[in-house]
Each structure stands twice: as C-alpha cells, then as structure tokens.
C-alpha cells in the first residue's frame, strides 16, 4: 500500500509524492494505460500536513551554515573601516503562521508569515586610517529579525521518480535590528555598522536559508520515495512505484500515478490495459488510493512462486476443525479418517497448486484457487501414513475493512468443487458421509480458518511498515469492476517528522 510513506513527512515530504512538473522522464501517448496505482490527496489533507511545515523551516534555519560576512567602507577622517561577522548562529526562532495553496498545473505555494529569529555572533571591526593607524575591536552582537518566507515547490521527474526543486524561495524582511554587546540603545557604532551590513546580511540569510530548504525538500523527496518503496516490499516481493504519467495539480487535490508492477526474482510483470481515470475518484475524503485488479493478481502469482501459500495445522487447531459439531456422524467420520490416532500425532497440510485468480467486482473480491489438502497420521512406533488427499477448486467472495488498526476480511458466499479425492477409509470413494462431511468442513470452517490466519499476518506486515502509527478515520475499501479504491481521513503523527529531521540532520 502506498498509504505508509507519504504521511510521515509533512508538507515538504508527503506532498512531494503527489506532484510532478516536466522533467527528464518520458511518457507514452496514453499515460493512464500503465497506471497500476494512483494516489490522490485533497486540499484538507494538504492543509493538515502544512501544520508540520514549521518543523522543516526551523530545521532549515538551525542547520543553515552561515558564512562569515566581511566588508569595508571608506569613511571621511577615519579612512577605511573593515568589519567581520563570524560565528553566526540562530536563537529563539518562532513562526506565527503558515499557509499552503495549490497552484493548478504549476506548484505548491507555501507562505510562512512572521518568522522571528535572533541571530547571534561576533563583530570584529577595524580602522585603517591615516599615518598607518590601525585599531581593531571585537564585540558580541544580536540581530533581531522578522521575516516572511515564500516557497514555490516544483517537482521534476528524474529516473522515473520525483525530485524536488524548492529553489523558488523568497525572504521578505520586516525587521532587521543590530544590537552590540547587549546595548539596545541607538549609538553611532551600531548605526554605522547597521548601515554597512544590513544589505549584505539580507542576501546571505536568503541564500543560506533557501539553500537549506531546497536541500531538505530534495532529501525528503528521496526519503519519501524510499519509504513508500519499503512499504510495498516484503522480502523478495515488491512493487515498482516509478511514475507512470505526469501527475495532476488541481486547486482541490494532487494526484500521482505509478506503474505498480510486481518485482519478484525472474517473474516478469507487464501491464498496459489500465482502466484508471481521474473521474473514478472524488474529493470528499482526505486521501485516496486506487489499485488495479492486475496488481492483486500479480502479487498472488509472486506469493505462489515464493511458496507462501501453504499452511500446516496440527494439534488443538486440527481438532477444532474436525470437531466443528458434536454429532454421531461427525465422530464416525473422524474415527474413520484418523483411524483412532490422536490429533497430536496427526498433521494437515494445505497448499495452493496454482496461483489464485483474483477478480474485483462491486460485491467484493472474488478469489478462485485450486487447493490441495493432505492429512497424515503418525501412529506410535509406526511409519507415517497419508490417510486423506484431496484437490478442490474453491471460489470465495471476500469483503475487506480496516477497523481499530486491524485488517478484517469477511468471507461471503463460497463454492467448492472436488477435483481429486483419495481416502484410505474409503478407497472406492463411494461413502457419501465422508465427502459430505469434508465439503461442509471446508466451507464452514476451513475457509474461515485460512482467512483468520491471513488477517493477522497482513496486519502485522502493514504495522511493521508503520501504518499503526497513524490515526486513520473512517477508512473504506471499495471494490468495483477491475479495481479497488481505499479512501480515508487521517491525523498526522507529528513526532515522526521531528524524529526524522533529528536523525538525519
């Protein structure tokens, strides 16, 4: 799922995934045809994430490497006056307000108002006057500032992924006041150097702060891409999330399109018949993910090739399956199949003989699979004996939900058709009681048992990628003919961005 990476980084990170302006990538004449995954973030989500902008701006000011500022001026009677500002650092930074605007087909415009900061350092100045008289002094200084910051983030496609460009950055100074040695009263020395250095200082601050913001934007863009790629990867199975087309920038939402091809060893995945169109998504929720039916089928194929579609059941779990109802018929059939052997000395294996076929419909996700079941017993002092083997084609319709940070799968109607049936208790296969019992067991207990194992496994996998860290509200998983839509609202875990900045910087 693409929904774990874009949420972790605030405006300067998450929004980078959704926007793309012309760059080095080339797309075909029918770009949506290769879209396996589409993401849409609406304006409310952008406004929510913009609250995290302050942390990025603060990091930019803190980590900006301000160079020493030097200059000189010829003064009547004093000769040349030279000065050096060194050890410039930022203290007491605060931000009053931050606003974000989506400029259609252009960029993300972020306006940060009234950034107040105190710059501290050392001022060294000297006079090179007549008769070779030279006097040099050093004093501590403070510079009080009030700044408005405007950033237009444009993104370019490089190597099929998003690269951020935040170089369109402007600082407007409302206040820039120099204090020397803590003296905040006007004086000729302060006035002299304020006139000398204010213009140069503004240029230096703009250059260094904007360079740092641009660096952070690029860093976060790369991090988000890596984060998203990690979210859709488990061991040798992953999804190609490279861009499939130029994303859309609208006044009310951002949208990106990704290939979503499955990558697994020598498995070759090709997709060029997507049914995606922007009209399939609405603007009523904060975040949307659109996934093609092809992706689910390809993931199922990769899972089959990776031998993940297998299950072993023994002991109490095996007993629970075969003793689903306490009737004389059930006890008789179980006795015949297990030949009196304890469940602790028996094992059942279930595995898929071919990769499942998945199709998406309004009623749910239809999974069709050819499954084998083998039961073996291990009588004390004897060799193991296979007492039951059957192959059956199972078709089941499943609906999915995400509730209290857990994936819930609801099996609806199911059909089972025996293809192969071998049982030592019924060599001829003419005993209807055994087959009838197994048919009921598979439908009523077996399928729910398999699904109950899949639910926690998928939930654990998603949580290992950090999904549980987000407060997801009212998620809906909607299936349509050939595709699935996940739509939700969310709250941003603001400590995650801060943790990332602290670890990275």
């Amino acid at each position: 799922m693409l929904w774990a990476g874009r949420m972790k980084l605030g405006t300067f990170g998450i929004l980078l995934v959704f926007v793309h302006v012309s760059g080095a990538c080339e797309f075909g004449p029918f770009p949506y045809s290769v879209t396996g995954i589409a993401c849409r973030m609406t304006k409310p989500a952008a406004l929510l994430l913009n609250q995290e902008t302050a942390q990025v701006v603060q990091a930019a000011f803190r980590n900006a490497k301000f160079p020493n500022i030097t200059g000189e001026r010829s003064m009547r009677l004093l000769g040349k006056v030279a000065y050096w500002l060194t050890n410039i650092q930022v203290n007491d930074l605060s931000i009053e307000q931050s606003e974000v605007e989506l400029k259609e087909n252009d960029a993300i415009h972020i306006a940060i108002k009234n950034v107040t900061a105190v710059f501290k350092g050392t001022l060294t100045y000297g006079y090179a006057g007549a008769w070779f008289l030279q006097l040099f002094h050093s004093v501590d200084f403070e510079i009080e500032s009030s700044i408005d910051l405007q950033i237009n983030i444009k993104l370019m496609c490089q190597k099929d992924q998003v690269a951020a460009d935040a170089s369109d950055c402007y600082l407007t100074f409302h206040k820039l006041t120099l204090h020397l040695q803590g003296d905040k009263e006007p004086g000729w020395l302060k006035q002299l150097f304020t006139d000398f250095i204010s213009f140069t200082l503004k240029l230096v601050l703009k250059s260094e702060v904007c360079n740092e913001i641009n660096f952070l934007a690029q860093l976060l863009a790369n991090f988000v891409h890596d984060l998203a790629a990690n979210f859709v990867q488990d061991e040798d199975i992953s999804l190609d999330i490279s861009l499939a087309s130029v994303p859309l920038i609208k006044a009310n939402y951002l949208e990106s399109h990704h290939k979503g091809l499955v990558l697994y060893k020598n498995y070759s995945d090709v997709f060029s018949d997507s049914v995606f169109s922007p009209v399939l998504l609405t603007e009523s929720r904060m975040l949307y993910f659109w996934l093609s039916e092809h992706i689910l089928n390809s993931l199922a194929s990769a899972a089959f090739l990776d031998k993940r579609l297998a299950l072993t059941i023994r002991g109490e779990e095996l007993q629970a399956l075969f003793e689903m109802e306490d009737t004389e018929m059930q006890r008789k059939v179980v006795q015949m199949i297990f030949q009196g052997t304890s469940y602790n000395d028996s094992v059942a294996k279930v595995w898929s003989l071919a990769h499942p076929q998945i199709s998406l419909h309004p009623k749910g996700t239809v999974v069709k699979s050819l499954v084998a079941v083998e039961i073996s017993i291990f009588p004390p002092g004897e060799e193991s004996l296979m007492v039951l083997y059957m192959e059956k084609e199972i078709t089941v319709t499943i609906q999915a939900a995400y509730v209290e940070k857990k994936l819930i799968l609801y099996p609806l109607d199911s059909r089972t058709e025996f293809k192969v049936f071998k049982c030592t208790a019924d060599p001829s296969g003419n005993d209807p009681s055994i087959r009838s019992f197994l048919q009921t067991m598979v439908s009523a207990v077996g399928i729910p048992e398999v699904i109950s194992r899949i639910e926690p496994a998928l939930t654990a996998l998603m949580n290992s990628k950090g999904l549980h860290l987000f407060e997801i509200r009212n998620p809906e998983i909607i299936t349509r003919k050939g595709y699935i839509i996940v739509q939700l609202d969310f709250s941003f875990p603001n400590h995650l961005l801060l943790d990332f900045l602290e670890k990275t910087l």
Side-chain angles (χ1 to χ4, degrees), residues 357-369 394-400 409-415 447 451 479:
Q357 298 293 323
I358 298 176
S359 57
L360 299 172
H361 303 273
K363 63 180 180 180
T365 302
V366 179
V367 182
K368 184 176 181 180
S369 181
I394 298 176
T395 303
V396 58
T397 301
I398 301 173
Q399 290 184 350
L409 302 176
Y410 301 99
L412 302 180
D413 61 298
S414 62
R415 300 187 304 276
I447 293 175
I451 289 178
T479 53

Side-chain angles (χ1 to χ4, degrees), residues 229-267:
N230 178 65
F231 190 86
V232 294
Q233 178 175 3
D234 182 50
E235 297 181 1
D236 292 334
I237 301 175
S238 63
L239 291 179
D240 175 9
I241 60 170
S242 57
L243 292 173
S245 64
V246 178
L248 302 176
I249 310 175
K250 298 295 184 181
N252 295 323
Y253 66 85
L254 308 169
E255 188 172 282
S256 66
H257 318 101
H258 308 265
K259 295 177 181 177
L261 298 176
V262 171
L263 306 175
Y264 174 74
K265 295 182 178 179
N266 295 327
Y267 176 79

Side-chain angles (χ1 to χ4, degrees), residues 178-207:
L178 175 67
H179 303 294
L180 300 178
Q181 294 183 321
D183 178 13
K184 303 191 184 297
E185 295 299 324
W188 74 270
L189 186 61
K190 183 178 72 172
Q191 186 63 46
L192 172 67
F193 286 107
T194 297
D195 292 341
F196 280 3
I197 69 176
S198 60
F199 179 74
T200 303
L201 182 61
K202 289 179 181 180
L203 292 179
V204 169
L205 293 180
K206 176 187 181 301
S207 174

Side-chain angles (χ1 to χ4, degrees), residues 81-110:
V81 179
Y83 59 88
W84 300 264
L85 274 72
T86 58
N87 304 320
I88 302 176
Q89 299 177 357
V90 181
N91 294 78
D92 302 326
L93 180 70
S94 66
I95 296 175
E96 181 179 284
Q97 184 180 359
S98 178
E99 299 175 352
V100 62
E101 179 184 359
L102 307 180
K103 293 186 175 181
E104 189 157 339
N105 299 323
D106 184 14
I108 305 169
H109 175 71
I110 299 176

Side-chain angles (χ1 to χ4, degrees), residues 412-472:
L412 302 180
D413 61 298
S414 62
R415 300 187 304 276
T416 302
E417 180 183 351
F418 285 95
K419 298 294 184 180
V420 176
F421 184 85
K422 299 178 182 179
C423 182
T424 56
D426 181 23
S428 64
N430 295 325
D431 189 336
S433 63
I434 295 179
R435 186 170 297 202
S436 175
F437 170 77
L438 293 174
Q439 180 87 14
T440 302
M441 187 198 72
V442 169
S443 300
V445 183
I447 293 175
E449 173 68 18
V450 172
I451 289 178
S452 70
R453 304 254 185 146
I454 295 175
E455 288 175 339
L458 292 178
T459 298
L461 175 61
M462 292 187 294
N463 287 344
S464 71
K465 307 297 184 177
L467 183 62
H468 64 293
L469 299 175
F470 297 87
E471 292 300 326
I472 298 175

Side-chain angles (χ1 to χ4, degrees), residues 306-418:
D306 204 42
K307 303 184 185 303
R308 299 192 184 193
L309 305 182
L311 179 64
T312 299
I313 306 173
R314 64 181 78 232
E316 293 181 358
E317 294 177 341
L318 186 60
Q319 181 179 1
L321 286 176
F322 278 88
E323 295 184 359
M324 59 180 179
E325 56 182 17
D326 188 15
T327 65
E328 182 178 352
M329 176 64 69
Q330 171 261 318
R331 290 191 293 271
K332 177 182 177 182
V333 170
V334 170
Q335 181 70 21
M336 292 172 61
I337 294 175
F338 288 88
Q339 300 180 14
T341 303
S342 166
Y343 289 112
N344 291 328
D345 296 321
S346 308
V347 62
K349 296 181 180 179
V350 183
W351 70 96
S352 186
L353 293 169
H355 68 83
Q357 298 293 323
I358 298 176
S359 57
L360 299 172
H361 303 273
K363 63 180 180 180
T365 302
V366 179
V367 182
K368 184 176 181 180
S369 181
L370 183 61
V371 177
V373 178
E374 178 184 285
I375 297 179
S376 299
I377 61 174
F378 303 87
E382 301 180 24
E383 294 184 357
S384 62
L385 174 66
M386 184 180 71
V387 294
L388 176 67
Y389 177 84
M390 55 183 177
E391 296 177 4
K392 54 190 184 296
E393 186 177 81
I394 298 176
T395 303
V396 58
T397 301
I398 301 173
Q399 290 184 350
Y402 189 74
V403 181
E404 297 181 351
K405 301 186 178 183
K406 294 180 181 179
L407 179 67
I408 307 297
L409 302 176
Y410 301 99
L412 302 180
D413 61 298
S414 62
R415 300 187 304 276
T416 302
E417 180 183 351
F418 285 95

Side-chain angles (χ1 to χ4, degrees), residues 59 62-63 495-505:
R62 285 196 308 266
N63 291 278
H495 67 282
L496 294 178
L497 176 60
L498 185 60
D499 290 345
F500 167 72
L501 292 173
E502 289 179 348
K503 291 177 182 178
T504 305
L505 302 177

